[in-house]
Amino acid sequence: VWSRGSDGAGLRDMLQRGAVRARLTAHAERGTTTTHNIVGELPGADEETVIIGSHHDGPWASAVEDASGIALVLAQAAYWSRVPADARPHRMVFLLNAAHMAGGAGQATFVREHRAALDRTVLDIHLEHVAAEFAERDGALQATGEPEARWWFTSRLPHLEAAVQSAIEAEDLTRSLILRPDIFGEKPTTDGADFHLAGVPLVHHLAAPFYLFDEMDTLDKIHRPSLVPLTRATIRLV
């Protein structure tokens, strides 16, 4: 439960005076619906595959989660579409997952239904959350001018880890951390997590600002200076 600063201060004052009993009532509607993954592809120099993806659903206006990720995927599709097919290193698949907010159902279904093709997948890149850092100053949230810390979940392959480090340094993507995919559990906390369980080498970019699951996730929260460097870094990785 997120609480604004003034409410949090009131709760702390109450707790300092002794035990507090509270009741939180939430109203929700449940139902069943159908949603779809969006998939595009470009032929390449061979039939081995690079997948570049993100998720297309979000809880609010969701500029960071995950309009910013969709923008990065579309930028890759636009770039590689202008490269001659024989100059693309591999066949390229662009995946926008559905139902990330429903347990990652979209990417899990894609992995399950394309299991044979994953044996020919040399890299899965998922790009999420180009986030600006906001902090409380004088009782109000203000941009610090910095990007949120960037997590790069990367398979434990020395040549791949070196490629990620090289791309980060070349594009000056500060505040970056290269993490093993299972550092927080059996799979990364990303919308392409099941690719890891399927044994696909991966690089997943994620930032996790506090405002992701709040209606304050609006366009001003996107760290726009990062969009082009992240696009260029991804091209370097491919």
Side-chain angles (χ1 to χ4, degrees), residues 22 65 71 89 111 152 171 175 192 209 213 227:
E65 171 144 19
V111 168
W152 300 79
E171 299 301 333
R175 310 189 82 181
F213 301 113
L227 290 170

Side-chain angles (χ1 to χ4, degrees), residues 110-190:
F110 185 91
V111 168
R112 184 175 65 252
E113 294 186 353
H114 297 82
R115 189 64 188 83
L118 295 184
D119 293 337
R120 300 191 302 275
T121 300
V122 298
L123 182 63
D124 171 66
I125 302 175
H126 265 65
L127 304 168
E128 295 181 75
H129 309 169
V130 186
E133 182 185 62
F134 274 69
E136 185 176 349
R137 292 178 177 172
D138 300 323
L141 284 177
Q142 299 180 25
T144 68
E146 297 285 348
E148 272 287 344
R150 320 173 205 265
W151 302 348
W152 300 79
F153 295 94
T154 303
S155 295
R156 301 300 299 274
L157 301 170
H159 66 282
L160 185 56
E161 292 174 323
V164 173
Q165 179 178 342
S166 176
I168 289 170
E169 292 175 348
E171 299 301 333
D172 195 27
L173 290 167
T174 58
R175 310 189 82 181
S176 286
L177 301 169
I178 300 176
L179 307 173
R180 68 176 194 263
D182 59 354
I183 191 168
F184 298 130
E186 66 173 352
K187 56 187 180 181
T189 55
T190 67

Side-chain angles (χ1 to χ4, degrees), residues 218-232:
T218 47
L219 284 172
D220 62 306
K221 303 303 187 300
I222 294 176
H223 191 256
R224 297 189 181 205
S226 292
L227 290 170
V228 170
L230 282 167
T231 296
R232 292 171 60 92

Side-chain angles (χ1 to χ4, degrees), residues 32-45:
T32 300
T33 189
T34 300
T35 185
H36 300 275
N37 292 335
I38 302 169
V39 185
E41 62 179 83
L42 292 169

Side-chain angles (χ1 to χ4, degrees), residues 19 32 45 49 59 106 123 143 170 193 215 217-218 235 237:
T32 300
T49 301
L123 182 63
E215 60 187 337
D217 181 8
T218 47
I235 292 167
L237 286 173

